[in-house]
Amino acid sequence: MESKIAKLSEEYLEQFQSASENVDFVSDSSTQILAPPKSPRSQESYHNKHESIKGNQMNHDQHSHSETNGHIGEGGFDGNGTLGGLLETGDCFLDPNDPNYDFREGDDQSNTDEVQKLFADYKKKATVIVEEYFTTDDAVTTANELKELGMPRYDFYFVKKLVSMAMDMHDKEKEMAAVLLSTLYANVIDPPQVYKGFGKLVESADDLVVDIPDVVDILAVFVARAVVDDILPPAFLTKQMELIPKESKGAEVITRADKVYLSAPLHIEIVERKWGGGKDKTVDDVKAKINDLLKEYVVSGDKAEAFRCIKDLKVPFFHHEIVKRVLIMAMEKLKSEDMLLDLLKEIAEQGIINSSQMTKGFSRLIDGIEDLSLDILGAKEILRSYISKAASEGWLCASSLKQISFQQENRVEEDAARQFKIQVHSIIQEYFLSGDILEVIDGLQLENKSCSPELNAIFVKKLITMAMDRKNREKEMASVLLSSLSFSVDNFVHGFVMLIEAAADTALDIPTVVDDLAMFLARAVTDEVISPQHLEEIGSQCTGQATIGSKVLKLAQSMLGARLSGERILRCWGGGGSSKPVWAIEDVKDKIVKLLEEYESGGELREAFHCIKELGMPFFHHEVVKKALVAVMEKKNERLWNLLDECYTVGLITPNQMTKGFSRVAKSLEDLALDVPDVEKQFDHYVNKAKALGWLESSFSVNNPVNAVEN
């Protein structure tokens, strides 16, 4: 319908003046009452997209059922029967297609009739769309049909019609309605229209009760579900209560939604499953699917498929988990960092994940950053850079996030540290007498319940310092214990940095400190407690003792560069730990075959872990990978593949050893083909699977395996 110039009549001017005085829809206070509260979503994601909310606010006020609330009545009289003052006469340009247009603004009866006819036409078509949706359960088609109507200013009616029809149907249709609203939110129906639609539903509860006796409970669930699904702000409840009579059914709806459903323990799960939704999936299932879709995206780079998978999860209230997982994966896989952050950006821009869930995902990661710092070096700095990038690109409201504290990064309270040192001194002394590694681990868990990275580093320093002042037996025991601890690499690196920084003082009591520290460093690399790259990192972090640090690092690198360095370093202090025999390589291979056969035949995972650790040769774990992978391809039994997955997950088998194992298998494919004809096809399948799981770098190739070792 084309825009037209309409001359306002004197009567309409009086009505308009009265409305202006009493409704005051442009005032700040009215905006706060009628518009959805300013959440991160409304402040950022939809600020530019929805510039005209005031018109909706005026409609909301003018359509109120109350006759004594100061709103205009028939003929332009207000609730007290008084006339408002006159506005200046003049011409006004009215566009019926403007979202802010209200058909009561025109003095031309034909114009009003045309707008009313347009709205009536929308109602009929919207009703048909809703009915078809309940028949087909096709959200995509429903979204397209609603878009084709091209009248977004009336979408509040679609919300009201969808919910009111669903309330008179079975639980299946109620769940379908809730899912559809989450799907259409922001992408098809603007947030203010959803807000207005629910407002209309609450206002009409007194009328709906005639046909739907239990409307209070059902509508309360719909309201609670909308809040849980993050398509209604929680403040909707309090704001709506201010607009309706306290004795009305609408007030009962709001009260029930708040007190019964949204205040209950585990309310998210209760509300989501009220009508059968989510019964076939647990939180762990959803987390697993999120992990799988992100791994697939890292391999394929297919954003459209990632978007589809996210939508198929149908858990908009849990989208913060996707945000958190993407950020952690970006930290862990720096090569994929840019593509993962780009995925988050496009997800936010397309409204697949709204700004509230985006903010919640970042907030959850901030809350857990201390624990994450144990596993990822510089996690706080990395996260801060992500926040800065997202805020500068406009897809994150950084002002609503907690501040990341850097003051406590490498410090614990002095009293706690002092007490911890006293306790671990006794633990280490007892270990040197008994050789009981499990007892040490239990003692550490008791004394360091918070798993503080600073305290873990203190333990590393204390263990090696005490061992250096003892015989080779204790030094060997210390190295074996280090390789058995489940500390993060950063804890070990920090511990060695502290050792080198204190080396000058230690040398007063232990003259051979440079040789001993170099050997401990080389042994840690051989045992894959740390990687060769960490030697440079240790050197760069050492301050004030550059000379000693340089000597230690050069000597350690020289030891690692020697021929047959692995075996020599392993035997440097006699080998075998406290009471273990010195095994030949062939004996170790036999033990690996036996432990794999035992696990394949139904053995326990815990026992398999114990046997692998008992070998005391982490630098030879590639043999476990090779034997297990060959057995999987020969017997087509996935049980051993699951063992490799568990070993990798807990850090028992490192990426380096995993790569070596696959490389060795790649070099022996020709021989394996004699017994397994399709071995190359199988191996290619498992290589791709290992890449998706993060075991192998994407550059790993069957024709050019890296880090290959001799069979």
Side-chain angles (χ1 to χ4, degrees):
M1 181 184 300
E2 296 184 357
S3 302
K4 54 189 336 187
I5 303 297
K7 191 173 183 179
L8 298 176
S9 67
E10 183 177 351
E11 180 184 32
Y12 180 76
L13 290 175
E14 293 175 350
Q15 295 177 10
F16 193 86
Q17 174 67 21
S18 178
S20 301
E21 291 178 349
N22 292 295
V23 177
D24 193 21
F25 61 86
V26 296
S27 69
D28 290 339
S29 61
S30 177
T31 300
Q32 292 175 356
I33 292 175
L34 298 177
K38 290 185 178 180
S39 65
R41 172 172 59 253
S42 59
Q43 292 172 348
E44 296 291 333
S45 298
Y46 309 111
H47 176 71
N48 296 325
K49 184 176 178 183
H50 311 294
E51 296 175 344
S52 304
I53 300 179
K54 294 179 181 178
N56 293 327
Q57 295 165 351
M58 182 178 70
N59 293 347
H60 185 87
D61 274 357
Q62 291 177 337
H63 298 170
S64 174
H65 296 296
S66 175
E67 296 182 357
T68 59
N69 59 2
H71 293 190
I72 61 172
E74 291 185 9
F77 291 90
D78 64 19
N80 297 319
T82 61
L83 283 170
L86 293 176
L87 292 174
E88 292 183 5
T89 61
D91 291 338
C92 180
F93 182 75
L94 297 179
D95 181 3
N97 289 318
D98 187 339
N100 292 326
Y101 176 80
D102 190 283
F103 62 81
R104 280 172 291 187
E105 292 180 12
D107 66 325
D108 191 328
Q109 184 63 40
S110 63
N111 183 62
T112 301
D113 291 343
E114 194 170 352
V115 173
Q116 289 177 332
K117 180 180 179 182
L118 191 65
F119 185 41
D121 185 52
Y122 177 92
K123 287 182 176 180
K124 292 178 181 178
K125 292 179 179 179
T127 302
V128 172
I129 293 173
V130 172
E131 289 173 346
E132 289 181 352
Y133 171 67
F134 286 136
T135 302
T136 63
D137 194 15
D138 188 344
V140 176
T141 300
T142 302
N144 292 334
E145 290 176 348
L146 191 58
K147 285 181 181 178
E148 289 172 2
L149 291 183
M151 291 181 278
R153 64 188 177 280
Y154 297 138
D155 282 345
F156 71 88
Y157 178 81
F158 180 87
V159 174
K160 179 182 176 182
K161 190 65 176 177
L162 175 69
V163 175
S164 60
M165 287 181 64
M167 286 195 293
D168 202 24
M169 295 181 172
H170 298 296
D171 285 353
K172 175 188 175 184
E173 285 76 17
K174 295 182 180 74
E175 178 65 21
M176 288 171 62
V179 170
L180 181 63
L181 286 177
S182 295
T183 304
L184 300 181
Y185 180 80
N187 297 321
V188 179
I189 302 179
D190 292 342
Q193 291 290 313
V194 174
Y195 190 99
K196 183 177 179 181
F198 273 95
K200 295 290 185 183
L201 282 163
V202 173
E203 288 176 2
S204 61
D206 288 297
D207 297 329
L208 291 171
V209 74
V210 176
D211 299 315
I212 309 170
D214 52 349
V215 66
V216 171
D217 185 68
I218 299 175
L219 187 52
V221 177
F222 267 110
V223 171
R225 177 66 176 267
V227 173
V228 166
D229 286 350
D230 218 13
I231 64 175
L232 267 187
F236 170 86
L237 305 176
T238 55
K239 298 299 182 184
Q240 200 64 32
M241 283 293 283
E242 297 173 6
L243 301 175
I244 55 179
K246 293 183 179 180
E247 299 78 16
S248 66
K249 292 293 182 182
E252 293 181 29
V253 169
I254 297 299
T255 301
R256 188 168 183 81
D258 184 23
K259 303 299 183 183
V260 176
Y261 293 110
L262 293 175
S263 300
L266 302 174
H267 66 274
I268 291 179
E269 187 172 358
I270 292 172
V271 171
E272 185 202 1
R273 298 190 177 188
K274 179 68 175 178
W275 296 316
K279 286 187 177 179
D280 57 340
K281 55 190 175 186
T282 64
V283 172
D284 289 339
D285 292 335
V286 175
K287 286 183 177 180
K289 289 180 179 179
I290 292 172
N291 206 40
D292 290 343
L293 78 86
L294 292 179
K295 286 179 179 178
E296 183 177 341
Y297 168 71
V298 169
V299 174
S300 67
D302 190 342
K303 290 181 183 176
E305 178 64 14
F307 295 162
R308 185 192 66 78
C309 291
I310 292 173
K311 291 177 181 178
D312 285 349
L313 291 174
K314 295 181 179 179
V315 286
F317 62 89
F318 201 56
H319 281 172
H320 54 79
E321 178 68 22
I322 298 175
V323 178
K324 178 186 175 185
R325 186 59 208 154
V326 169
L327 295 173
I328 293 175
M329 190 173 288
M331 292 181 184
E332 293 174 340
K333 302 179 183 293
L334 294 179
K335 292 182 179 180
S336 304
E337 180 183 59
D338 291 339
M339 68 184 298
L340 285 165
L341 293 179
D342 189 50
L343 176 68
L344 267 189
K345 179 183 177 182
E346 289 206 27
I347 284 175
E349 290 176 346
Q350 293 191 26
I352 297 173
I353 294 180
N354 60 49
S355 61
S356 177
Q357 290 290 303
M358 190 68 69
T359 301
K360 188 173 182 180
F362 273 89
S363 297
R364 286 185 61 203
L365 195 58
I366 291 173
D367 291 339
I369 195 63
E370 294 294 343
D371 292 335
L372 192 62
S373 297
L374 303 179
D375 302 314
I376 300 175
L377 182 65
K380 288 186 178 181
E381 288 290 351
I382 296 173
L383 179 56
R384 186 165 65 172
S385 70
Y386 290 172
I387 293 172
S388 177
K389 175 181 173 66
S392 65
E393 292 177 351
W395 51 277
L396 176 70
C397 180
S399 61
S400 60
L401 297 175
K402 300 177 183 177
Q403 292 296 317
I404 302 176
S405 173
F406 290 85
Q407 298 178 353
Q408 302 293 329
E409 177 94 51
N410 295 313
R411 181 174 61 84
V412 293
E413 294 182 1
E414 293 182 0
D415 290 342
R418 189 180 302 111
Q419 185 64 28
F420 179 78
K421 289 177 182 178
I422 295 172
Q423 297 300 326
V424 298
H425 184 88
S426 300
I427 291 173
I428 294 170
Q429 280 187 322
E430 182 64 28
Y431 169 66
F432 286 152
L433 293 174
S434 67
D436 191 337
I437 294 176
L438 294 179
E439 186 178 350
V440 175
I441 294 174
D442 290 340
L444 283 175
Q445 290 176 344
L446 181 63
E447 299 299 333
N448 187 14
K449 295 178 181 178
S450 63
C451 297
S452 164
E454 182 72 12
L455 296 184
N456 287 341
I458 289 174
F459 178 82
V460 172
K461 178 188 174 185
K462 190 70 173 177
L463 173 67
I464 294 177
T465 301
M466 291 178 65
M468 286 192 297
D469 199 27
R470 286 170 170 76
K471 299 180 180 179
N472 285 349
R473 173 182 175 273
E474 285 76 19
K475 293 173 184 174
E476 174 64 17
M477 291 176 69
S479 289
V480 171
L481 178 58
L482 287 180
S483 65
S484 302
L485 295 174
S486 58
F487 292 174
S488 72
V489 174
D490 298 343
N491 299 163
F492 291 113
V493 169
H494 191 193
F496 278 109
V497 168
M498 294 168 66
L499 281 163
I500 293 175
E501 288 179 341
D505 294 334
T506 306
L508 299 176
D509 300 316
I510 307 172
T512 59
V513 64
V514 173
D515 293 338
D516 287 343
L517 269 182
M519 185 58 74
F520 272 109
L521 269 174
R523 178 63 181 271
V525 173
T526 300
D527 288 345
E528 294 200 341
V529 172
I530 60 175
S531 68
Q533 289 76 15
H534 286 115
L535 293 180
E536 296 179 3
E537 183 181 331
I538 291 170
S540 66
Q541 290 192 35
C542 293
T543 57
Q545 298 293 334
T547 303
I548 291 181
S550 177
K551 288 181 180 179
V552 170
L553 290 172
K554 285 181 179 179
L555 184 56
Q557 290 168 342
S558 175
M559 293 175 179
L560 291 166
R563 184 174 177 271
L564 299 176
S565 60
E567 188 167 353
R568 288 184 176 183
I569 293 172
L570 181 68
R571 315 296 185 192
C572 63
W573 290 312
S578 57
S579 59
K580 299 176 183 175
V582 179
W583 293 321
I585 293 297
E586 292 303 318
D587 294 332
V588 175
K589 288 184 177 181
D590 290 339
K591 290 182 177 294
I592 290 173
V593 170
K594 290 179 181 178
L595 77 87
L596 292 178
E597 288 177 348
E598 182 177 348
Y599 180 78
E600 188 179 23
S601 63
E604 295 182 356
L605 183 64
R606 184 183 180 89
E607 181 62 23
F609 283 175
H610 177 73
C611 291
I612 293 173
K613 289 179 180 179
E614 276 294 303
L615 295 173
M617 300 176 71
F619 66 94
F620 199 60
H621 283 172
H622 55 77
E623 178 71 14
V624 178
V625 178
K626 178 191 173 185
K627 296 290 188 187
L629 185 56
V630 170
V632 168
M633 293 189 295
E634 285 180 343
K635 302 176 182 179
K636 294 181 172 56
N637 187 337
E638 291 283 328
R639 184 170 171 79
L640 289 178
W641 178 269
N642 294 335
L643 174 63
L644 291 180
D645 189 24
E646 294 291 341
C647 289
Y648 182 87
T649 300
V650 301
L652 185 56
I653 295 180
T654 64
N656 187 35
Q657 289 295 303
M658 194 69 77
T659 302
K660 285 184 178 181
F662 272 80
S663 299
R664 293 182 61 198
V665 175
K667 295 184 67 176
S668 62
L669 287 178
E670 203 172 308
D671 294 333
L672 289 171
L674 299 175
D675 299 315
V676 186
D678 64 339
V679 68
E680 290 188 7
K681 181 178 179 180
Q682 285 197 64
F683 183 68
D684 186 66
H685 165 74
Y686 285 112
V687 166
N688 291 331
K689 195 172 180 180
K691 288 180 180 179
L693 291 170
W695 300 357
L696 302 176
E697 295 291 341
S698 58
S699 58
F700 183 93
S701 168
V702 176
N703 298 323
N704 185 30
V706 293
N707 295 331
V709 294
E710 293 299 324
N711 286 321

